Structure formats: structure tokens, C-alpha cells
Amino acid sequence: MAAPFVIVGGGLAGAKGAEALRNEGYDGPIVLIGAEDELPYERPPLSKEYLRGEASREDPRVHPAEFYDGHDIELRLGTTVEEIDLDARELVLAGGDRLEWGRLLLATGAEPRRLPVPGAELPGVHYLRDFADADALAERLGPGARVAVIGAGWIGSEVAASARQLGAEVTLLEAARLPLERVLGSRASEFFADVHRAHGVDLRLGVGVERIAGDRAVEAVELADGERVECDLVVVGVGVAPRTELAERAGLEIDDGIAVGANLEASAEGVFAAGDVANAQHPFYGLKLRVEHWANALHQPEVAARAMLGRPASYERLPFFFSDQYEVGMEYRGFAPSFDEVVLRGDPDDGEFLAFWLREGRVAAVMNVNVWDVGAEVEALIRSRRAVSRDALRDPDTPLSELAGGP
């Protein structure tokens, strides 16, 4: 029998990789290995509807259990991979068992960065990455709970919103001048800051965390300026790091993740990576991109599956992510690590607007806030690389398709 195609990582990317192999017509053995003793699930609900008790444990599942049986996909849950033996084309599992692979897809994801301050290991300090984290946090949230959230990025902001919706008192601490300013620029960041303040969040900006204080459990967060934030629990959301340890020990090329080409193949033949861990060459941008968001985990496995079967494949989707906070829903498309200015269409004070990130007069990224069904036009506008008039961008009567060169 041929060696199985093996997928390491039991999250969205891993489950979609197994599905994509079957959709592409592969009828050989597939083994999907997950460290958690859980059927693969999506992570965005963990900071939102699952955390608030509005979704069941089954809702975030990528597939029901019968899907894997029906597609002859062998699940090995609660299983840890210790080593990748590239020469033998085998995995070494915890306990010493070895598993041969014909093709290998690494979908090991990312893990929260730890807070490097005294007291960070006290009971009551929470991170959010998996069901167990969300369950432990949900038990503590509710009316009267005093929550300090450290980091006003997407996860921190979403947890702060959910905690407020559950009735907790929330202090949101951010080292930068505004939440999400590095990504969004000042005007769009101010909008999200105002949203949190309007919902009763105590937003502290430009502050550093000195230590987490408490005898046997969390009692307060002490700031660098001497302020003390009394709290019952702390949620840390200061970013994530790709889980590259396995790949690194195997000798694969590492560059802010597992370095892969446009077809998601790594530096060793027959080894591929997808999702949060993959730093992939992007044909549109001409550089490597690692995107820590749901859309990559959803769509990259389709490309990896084709490449694993020896077919032409290239991942060319523009970066995309979304966030939901209170009554605000947003989508962001494109890539703008640097930009000259942000142009708005609509008034943030009205709660509905588009933001365009411009670089050299061209649209590099677009965020739509409570404005829907513009994804195709936004993508076309970015891909057109056309110089655009700022007045036309601001004008709601100018169709986005016209700006992209369409009818």
C-alpha cells in the first residue's frame, strides 16, 4: 500500500486540507493528526459567539464526525508529533511510534505570545487560542467581573467586546497611541476606540504593563506610569507566533513561519505548509506573506492539495480578514504595511464607511465597516493597481467598479 498523505494540525487548515485532497480525486490513505482531543474546529468564534454562550461546541466544527468516516480520513486526535524524519519520510509520534508519509502537509498554526512580566503566571491570567481557553475564560465572565485585557489588537478588542456584552467591567490596555493603529492608521483606529468607549470600556492607551500583582491569584495590573488597575482576571492578547518547532528541528527553511513557494511547498520535496504557519510567496505582491487569519486557513489547503498531487497550483488570493465587535462588523482586504494616507468614504460617526489605504496614489487595502457586498469590487480595485482620484474615492456616487476600470 502507498504511504499515506499525512496532515499535521487538527484545525481549520488541516481539516480543509483533507477535504481538498478528496475533492481533487485523491483516493489513497489520508491521516489527519491533531494534538487536541477534539474534532477540528474554527477559531474565530472563540472570542465572539462561543465565548458569549451564543454558539454550541458543535457550531465551530469544520465537519461532523461522520464526514471523516464517510471520506475515509483517519483521525488521530490527542496525538503529538515529536519529530519529522525527512530522510526516512516518517513522523515520530509521542511514545515512539513512527508513521510513514508519502506527502506531508504542516498546518500547525500559531500560539499566543506570552506576556514577559512578573506575575504573568498567576492563576487568573488567560490566553485565548482553543476551546479549553475559551471555556476557562467564559466561566469567569459575567456581571460584576472585573477584566483587564492587555493588548487592543483584534483578539483583545473582540474579547473586550464580548466581556462587556456579558456584563463585565472591562479595562482595555494598549501600549500604542490607538488600538490597531499600526494596521489601520489613526482615523480608522479612532473609530474603534470610540466604539469601545461608547460601550463602557475603560480604554487606556499608550500604557506599558509593569507587572501583574496578586498573592495567590490576579488582583491587579500595575502599569509603568504607576497606575494600578484592580481586576479579577487578565486576558492577554499581544499577538501570536507561528508553531515552527517541528519544521525547524527537521531542517526546513524558517522565515517568520515555514517558508514556502506560491504552491505552498516547503524547502524539502513533498512537504507543504498552509494556514497561520505558512510564509508563502505571493505572486501579486512579489514577496512572502504570512497571514494569521481565517481566510488563509480556509483557502490555502485547496492549493496545497493540488500541489501535493503534482498539479499546477498557486495561492494568489489577496489577504482578507474580518472582525465583529458589538454591532460593528468589518472586512479588510489587501496588504498595506506602509501607506501614504487613508481616504474615507462615508462618516465613521454614522457607523458605516469604507476606508482606502493609498500608496503612491493606488489603493493597497480597503476596509468596509457595516457596508456589505462590496468584496468583488474592492478586490478588482486593488488588483487594478490604477491611480485613483481621492475625490472619487470619497464620493459614494462613484461606483467602485468604475474606479477599477470596469463599466
Side-chain angles (χ1 to χ4, degrees):
M1 175 185 283
F5 282 19
V6 178
I7 301 169
V8 180
L12 175 60
K16 297 303 286 188
E19 177 187 355
L21 284 169
R22 290 297 185 231
N23 288 344
E24 290 292 329
Y26 175 68
D27 60 3
I30 298 174
V31 179
L32 175 57
I33 299 174
E36 290 182 69
D37 196 16
E38 295 275 0
L39 288 174
Y41 59 92
E42 301 184 25
R43 299 188 189 275
L46 298 184
S47 58
K48 299 186 280 288
E49 55 265 37
Y50 182 78
L51 183 61
R52 297 192 298 267
E54 298 164 6
S56 75
R57 205 174 184 83
E58 299 308 309
D59 289 331
R61 303 287 187 198
V62 184
H63 302 297
E66 53 267 25
F67 173 88
Y68 302 98
D69 293 336
H71 290 80
D72 197 21
I73 297 166
E74 179 185 349
L75 284 178
R76 296 199 184 185
L77 303 177
T79 300
T80 303
V81 178
E82 298 285 359
E83 300 288 343
I84 302 169
D85 187 334
L86 292 176
D87 293 331
R89 297 175 78 84
E90 291 179 339
L91 299 179
V92 181
L93 307 180
D97 287 347
R98 299 179 75 94
L99 175 64
E100 186 181 8
W101 49 268
R103 293 284 187 275
L104 180 63
L105 175 59
L106 299 175
T108 47
E111 60 189 358
R113 296 186 186 276
R114 311 317 265 191
L115 191 67
V117 300
E121 303 305 317
L122 279 171
V125 176
H126 295 258
Y127 295 82
L128 183 58
R129 187 62 183 174
D130 56 31
F131 267 145
D133 294 336
D135 292 342
L137 184 55
E139 287 181 4
R140 304 289 306 277
L141 296 178
R146 299 174 303 167
V147 184
V149 180
I150 300 175
W154 296 115
I155 289 295
S157 294
E158 289 175 358
V159 169
S162 289
R164 280 300 295 143
Q165 288 171 276
L166 290 169
E169 299 175 18
V170 178
T171 303
L172 182 54
L173 305 168
E174 170 57 49
R177 191 177 67 91
L178 286 166
L180 303 162
E181 184 176 27
R182 183 180 60 82
V183 178
L184 301 181
S186 60
R187 186 63 187 93
S189 297
E190 286 168 356
F191 168 77
F192 283 99
D194 290 343
V195 167
H196 281 286
R197 292 189 182 106
H199 285 84
V201 171
D202 181 2
L203 183 58
R204 312 264 188 108
L205 300 170
V207 299
V209 173
E210 191 74 18
R211 66 190 290 264
I212 298 174
D215 258 345
R216 295 186 177 85
V218 167
E219 296 175 9
V221 177
E222 295 182 356
L223 306 180
D225 62 5
E227 287 289 321
R228 180 179 168 99
V229 177
E230 303 291 338
C231 57
D232 307 311
L233 67 152
V234 170
V235 183
V236 179
V238 293
V240 299
R243 287 178 170 145
T244 58
E245 294 84 358
L246 265 180
E248 194 167 359
R249 288 199 300 268
L252 295 175
E253 180 184 349
I254 304 298
D255 176 15
D256 183 33
I258 301 172
V260 295
N263 70 343
L264 306 183
E265 188 166 23
S267 56
E269 185 272 330
V271 180
F272 301 79
D276 289 0
V277 77
N279 191 7
Q281 184 68 28
H282 198 291
F284 182 74
Y285 296 106
L287 46 76
K288 286 194 183 303
L289 284 183
R290 188 175 66 81
V291 180
E292 299 164 351
H293 295 289
W294 169 88
N296 263 32
L298 179 69
H299 296 297
Q300 277 190 341
E302 302 165 4
V303 172
R306 290 194 292 273
M308 291 168 78
L309 295 170
R311 298 170 187 163
S314 179
Y315 188 74
E316 302 186 12
R317 287 177 178 264
L318 297 183
F320 166 84
F321 63 88
F322 67 93
S323 181
D324 297 300
Q325 300 170 43
Y326 312 104
E327 72 284 354
V328 175
M330 62 78 67
E331 297 175 332
Y332 181 105
R333 290 172 174 83
F335 179 62
S338 62
F339 50 90
D340 302 324
E341 63 180 306
V342 180
V343 174
L344 301 183
R345 174 180 290 199
D347 188 346
D349 291 340
D350 296 333
E352 297 180 4
F353 66 98
L354 297 173
F356 303 89
W357 280 260
L358 295 184
R359 189 167 54 241
E360 298 178 352
R362 294 167 173 80
V363 175
V366 181
M367 178 175 70
N368 47 294
V369 176
N370 287 341
V371 176
W372 308 111
D373 301 322
V374 295
E377 291 90 345
V378 163
E379 177 130 350
L381 177 57
I382 295 170
R383 288 189 179 277
S384 75
R385 290 194 168 111
R386 297 184 73 201
V388 292
S389 157
R390 288 154 181 76
D391 289 340
L393 285 175
R394 294 187 184 97
D395 180 10
D397 294 326
T398 301
L400 294 176
S401 57
E402 180 180 309
L403 295 175

